[in-house]
Amino acid sequence: MLHSPSLAPAATARITRLAQLRRALVWPLLMSAAALMVACGGGGGGGGGGGGGGPTVTISGTANYDFVPAQSNGIGLDYGAITQKPIRGATVQLITSSGNVLASTVTDAQGAYSLSASGNRAMRVRVRAELRDTTSPGTYNVTVLDNTASNALYVLDSALFTPTANETRDLLAGSGWGGTSYTGTRAAAPFAVLDVAYQALQKVLSAAPSVSLPALRMFWSKLNKSSDGNLSLGEIGTSFFTYSGSTYSLYLLGDDGVDTDEYDTHVVAHEFGHYLQRALSADDSIGGSHSGGDLLDMRVAFSEGWGNGWSGIALNDPVYTDSAATSQSLGFSFDVSDLPASNDKGFFSEASGQYLVWSLGAEPTIGFTPIYNALVALKNSPQFTSIYSFGTAVKTAGASSATVNTLWQGQSILLNDAYGTGETNFGAVAAAAAVADPVYRTYTTFGTAQPYCINNTAAGSYNKLGNSVFVSFTTTTSSRTLTLAPVTPTGITDPDFYVVTSAGTRLEGTTSITDSETKVIAFPAGKHVVALTDYKLTSSCFNFKVSN
Amino acid sequence: MKNSTQLRLNLITAICGAGLALLATCAWADAPTAPAAGPTAKSKTAKTSWVTAARKHNGSGVVLSYSVPTVLSAGQTATVQLRLSNVTKSDANVKVTTPAGITVTSNTTVMTGMALPLGSTTLTLQVTPSADGLEYLNVFTTQGGRISAQSVPLQVGSAKPQLKAINKVETTPSGEKVISLPAQ
């Protein structure tokens, strides 16, 4: 408690008045100084923040965003059914007019917040498009940024106000929808994206409360369009996840009337699923174009099936929707819980993959935790990621083998082990099946080339069944030379190979040398696998050799 | 070094599973010299090689490749080619939309939607831009009940595209860049 200076007795009224004037001037200054000393040391946990010259005030309220649901038939968005959803888990601050932080907290699951600071000065409430917890157990850092504006963080700001008593300040991030197109600020979009991440994180934390996730930057801009080019100009091509330079980034479309994904929650969750694969697991998918019913490379089939099935689990909704075109009025949907058609089942089927991932999560005796643990186990599994390695890992993670095997058998997949040993279903295209059967061939003639053939026409090219052939081989701890060359050199092929060692290390031989690929690899002891392919997408036979 | 289009596909190992845009350079790098003047003269500027557009997860599956002049000229007609491949279903369809500043004067059926035959189809469009700038043809393909949207860039004039400032970037006292969205 600060005291005003005492005066000598018999002081004249003039002195008294001077003293009173001094108190009138000095007292507020002293109080301000004291408050500033408090504010500099505080600013966290919802309280603190002095220096306003007034009593401590509590500013509380809820933060919400406009959410546009999909039409009931799953085709396009329904702007007539906009609802307000809470902004959950986001950092909320009280800031001065110049941007200094007075107090900070996090919204709860209902979007509610409460902050205290010294009042009687201009301030605003700021909600950051950020989910951040850096204190163990369970750490994460997710931000929604504008890749077309210097990667700036989106924040939702209230108007300035000067509280002299407790106040309620509710914030709403509006959609900006004008009836047929967006005409206003699309403030809701970043928070719609953030909320998918919130849900996904909650699911991960439910299985792994102590997980330490690497930072994820989610980029969204109304300028993000379906054209390749300069990311900083919004030419992102499509919504995608990327890992580069130890940075995990996710880009989302925002092009009104063409393709914008902030409300296509399964699209966002699908990409978040690939972030999880990169951060916690392994993903050997080679990507590429595909559509329903395709006979896919098993790596692609699993990766896409994982993304779709996971999106249903994360959002607790098996119906995947994606809107597009004018007023986001067109689009499509599919239900990952739907049983695939009989001619669309197999280890090469994306539909089987998504159905199995979803079904595991929906199975009362299994749930998400074994799925999560299996995902993590795949990181060091010595096989290419596929429905086989995943299913095997799920069983190892504690799921009932009988239950898992039954689910897999229902998709015409024989889950004997992570290598697909004994598989009998290779689809209806004989030429592709001829390449794909067995799932992994075995190379045993050390020092001697063995021929393996691929086919880039029967089921399609690049990422379809039969475009790559999978081979296993065993070594001691040793340095070995892998060689791949066409049986009959044509001057056309560009053979490549991808390797997973017995330690789960991923390596590749992907030079541009015509009709040849060679790489020396230091192998640990054990069984390794290699995928042999042709970058030029021919249908050819190649000699593969492991030698000294 | 593998060509840029196929290199993009190979790098999918490190990113999510679809043919995707990466951290690529601008599609409009190094514009050639201006074409001959005249309102009816066709652009003589060189075309880009065929570019395969990025494809979204769970889309139509139709592969779009395009070949466009490196630079178009305002008021002059240019040829844009669209190749649509991997058409495997009988319900495949394509529709092209253009912004107000672009006029298409051939193959106009595609503007209202046309069926795609199985296999591969190449469409040749005559496009006339009205002003300089960066415009986009939007190509919508449907197949198997799914739709994909892809945008083909058309650089009109040689000026490098400038990003229109739509969100003001502020810098906080701590040096962080933020975009302030007004709450309702």
Side-chain angles (χ1 to χ4, degrees), chain A residues 240 244 273 394 414 429 483:
Chain A
F240 69 100
S244 176
V394 169
L414 201 57
V429 179
T483 306

Side-chain angles (χ1 to χ4, degrees), chain A residues 110-427:
Chain A
Q110 287 73 46
Y113 73 92
S114 181
L115 292 161
S116 298
S118 177
N120 207 28
R121 58 178 156 174
M123 63 181 69
R124 67 172 90 244
V125 178
R126 167 167 288 178
V127 182
R128 295 166 58 91
E130 169 186 85
L131 304 171
R132 184 180 172 94
D133 187 345
T134 56
T135 58
S136 297
T139 59
Y140 49 85
N141 182 359
V142 179
T143 49
V144 184
L145 312 168
D146 186 345
N147 53 291
T148 65
S150 306
N151 294 346
L153 176 78
Y154 286 105
V155 297
L156 181 69
D157 284 339
S158 73
L160 281 173
F161 59 99
T162 305
T164 57
N166 297 344
E167 285 193 23
T168 298
R169 290 273 162 174
D170 294 331
L171 287 82
L172 173 64
S175 69
W177 186 247
T180 57
S181 66
Y182 287 104
T183 56
T185 302
R186 296 168 67 180
F191 295 96
V193 170
L194 190 75
D195 203 51
V196 174
Y198 175 87
Q199 276 196 259
L201 285 174
Q202 297 309 303
K203 182 60 69 176
V204 172
L205 291 168
S206 73
S210 300
V211 68
S212 182
L213 288 168
L216 173 65
R217 305 181 310 170
M218 305 177 79
F219 291 102
W220 180 89
S221 166
K222 63 182 275 187
L223 298 178
N224 284 354
K225 55 179 55 67
S226 308
S227 178
D228 296 326
N230 191 328
L231 292 172
S232 66
L233 294 179
E235 297 190 320
I236 69 171
T238 188
S239 293
F240 69 100
F241 164 74
T242 182
Y243 173 74
S244 176
S246 302
T247 300
Y248 299 78
S249 303
L250 196 156
Y251 289 80
L252 297 167
L253 292 167
D255 196 1
D256 179 23
V258 180
D259 200 347
T260 183
D261 283 335
E262 68 274 18
Y263 295 119
D264 293 328
T265 53
H266 287 73
V267 173
V268 181
H270 180 117
E271 300 307 329
F272 194 98
H274 290 311
Y275 155 70
L276 291 179
Q277 284 183 293
R278 190 63 182 86
L280 303 171
S281 181
D283 182 10
D284 296 313
S285 176
I286 56 174
S289 173
H290 56 92
S291 59
D294 282 350
L295 303 180
L296 293 171
D297 180 295
M298 64 178 179
R299 299 166 290 179
V300 178
F302 170 66
S303 184
E304 294 307 300
W306 158 258
N308 291 341
W310 148 261
S311 73
I313 291 173
L315 298 171
N316 198 30
D317 177 4
V319 180
Y320 184 112
T321 62
D322 190 0
S323 62
T326 304
S327 301
Q328 284 65 249
S329 60
L330 300 180
F332 63 88
S333 71
F334 58 86
D335 189 328
V336 298
S337 68
D338 280 349
L339 200 61
S342 57
N343 62 353
D344 194 16
K345 292 181 180 180
F347 70 92
F348 42 77
S349 164
E350 178 181 350
S352 285
Q354 67 194 31
Y355 175 81
L356 290 172
V357 171
W358 165 265
S359 296
L360 288 171
E363 170 59 44
T365 61
I366 300 179
F368 180 66
T369 298
I371 294 174
Y372 174 85
N373 290 333
L375 198 71
V376 173
L378 287 180
K379 188 176 183 69
N380 296 312
S381 292
Q383 308 90 16
F384 289 105
T385 50
S386 72
I387 201 67
Y388 297 111
S389 60
F390 174 68
T392 301
V394 169
K395 290 193 285 188
T396 304
S400 159
S401 290
T403 303
V404 175
N405 288 343
T406 299
L407 278 172
W408 260 240
Q409 284 163 7
Q411 293 306 303
S412 301
I413 302 171
L414 201 57
L415 187 59
N416 285 328
D417 59 21
Y419 297 90
T421 303
E423 181 59 71
T424 58
N425 174 26
F426 294 91

Side-chain angles (χ1 to χ4, degrees), chain A residues 98-100 126 128 146 148-150 152-157 171-172 174 185 187 190 222-223 225-233 235-238 240-243 257-259 261 267 270-271 274 283 285-292 304 308 320 322 325 331-332 334 350 462 494 496 498 510-512 535, chain B residues 1-3 5-10 12-28 51-63 66 86 88-89 134 136 138 140 143 145-147 149-153 161 163-164 166-167 169-170 172-173 176-184:
Chain A
S98 56
N100 291 300
R126 167 167 288 178
R128 295 166 58 91
D146 186 345
T148 65
S150 306
L153 176 78
Y154 286 105
V155 297
L156 181 69
D157 284 339
L171 287 82
L172 173 64
T185 302
K222 63 182 275 187
L223 298 178
K225 55 179 55 67
S226 308
S227 178
D228 296 326
N230 191 328
L231 292 172
S232 66
L233 294 179
E235 297 190 320
I236 69 171
T238 188
F240 69 100
F241 164 74
T242 182
Y243 173 74
V258 180
D259 200 347
D261 283 335
V267 173
H270 180 117
E271 300 307 329
H274 290 311
D283 182 10
S285 176
I286 56 174
S289 173
H290 56 92
S291 59
E304 294 307 300
N308 291 341
Y320 184 112
D322 190 0
F332 63 88
F334 58 86
E350 178 181 350
Y462 180 67
D494 179 359
D496 288 337
Y498 299 86
T510 53
T511 66
S512 301
Y535 186 82
Chain B
M1 174 66 77
K2 300 187 193 306
N3 70 59
T5 301
Q6 291 179 305
L7 178 61
R8 180 185 306 154
L9 293 175
N10 277 357
I12 299 301
T13 301
I15 60 178
C16 69
L20 304 174
L22 298 178
L23 300 172
T25 56
C26 299
W28 48 83
V51 175
T52 299
R55 297 174 292 284
K56 198 177 189 182
H57 293 294
N58 298 308
S60 69
V62 175
V63 177
Y66 57 85
N86 199 48
T88 58
K89 297 181 173 65
L134 180 58
Y136 298 89
N138 297 314
F140 297 93
Q143 179 174 231
R146 299 195 182 176
I147 185 171
Q150 291 152 307
S151 300
V152 177
L163 197 61
K164 296 174 189 172
I166 54 167
N167 287 318
V169 179
E170 301 173 5
T172 69
E176 182 184 29
K177 289 185 169 52
V178 298
I179 291 174
S180 174
L181 303 168
Q184 290 181 2

Side-chain angles (χ1 to χ4, degrees), chain B residues 153-169:
Chain B
L154 302 175
Q155 174 65 44
V156 186
S158 299
K160 288 191 175 180
Q162 296 290 326
L163 197 61
K164 296 174 189 172
I166 54 167
N167 287 318
K168 183 184 173 186
V169 179

